[in-house]
Amino acid sequence: LRPTVLDDRGLIPALRRLVGEISTRHGITVDLVVSHLAPGDRLTPDVETTAYRVAQEALTNVVRHAKASTCSVLLARVQNRLRLVVEDNGIGYEVGQTRERSLGLRGMSERAALVGGIVRITSSPGEGTVVVMEVPVG
């Protein structure tokens, strides 16, 4: 399902709203940095939805599991790829020990794969977590 905010305003304003809600509701400082994209730039609906949903799931994981005080979200167009990075200063975890039932992590990877992209997750105990999504854009 596609959030209506993406249709109404686009990816960047939708992410600004999401980041603001997370900051306000959960007391986590979340910064959004956008590079090589203007607020009015539009990508294909599939790519916008994928980026938004991956960011949403990554931020949900920060709120639920990371015990982080700060988080940064980077959205950048790098040549013919869109890169989304969500990085927190939380407790981290052993990536190889992720439970099979972790539907959120698997869902992020599956969403990215549907548009020809990938998701990489890097984390270790005490070191926070970094989620990187890259998808091709025209």
Side-chain angles (χ1 to χ4, degrees), residues 83-128:
R83 177 177 293 155
L84 172 75
V85 180
V86 179
E87 182 173 5
D88 69 64
N89 71 343
I91 61 172
Y93 68 100
E94 288 288 342
V95 174
Q97 310 237 338
T98 304
R99 295 176 289 206
E100 285 298 314
R101 64 179 193 225
S102 180
L103 297 176
L105 298 177
R106 187 168 57 220
M108 288 190 289
S109 292
E110 289 174 359
R111 278 186 185 278
L114 287 173
V115 293
I118 60 163
V119 170
R120 291 184 309 274
I121 300 169
T122 317
S123 186
S124 59
E127 299 296 323

Side-chain angles (χ1 to χ4, degrees), residues 11-12 15 32-38 41 43 47 51 73-86 132-137:
L11 180 59
I12 296 168
L15 287 175
L32 174 64
V33 176
V34 178
S35 178
H36 297 92
L37 285 166
D41 286 353
L43 303 167
V47 168
V73 178
L74 168 67
L75 181 70
R77 186 174 189 152
V78 182
Q79 296 175 350
N80 62 344
R81 303 198 56 83
L82 182 70
R83 177 177 293 155
L84 172 75
V85 180
V86 179
V132 178
M133 179 205 77
E134 289 188 353
V135 297
V137 292

Side-chain angles (χ1 to χ4, degrees), residues 22 26-30 59 61-72 87-92 128-129:
I22 296 290
H26 302 285
I28 300 170
T29 302
V30 185
L59 289 169
N61 288 340
V62 170
V63 168
R64 288 185 181 162
H65 307 294
K67 299 180 182 172
S69 61
T70 63
C71 180
S72 63
E87 182 173 5
D88 69 64
N89 71 343
I91 61 172
T129 301

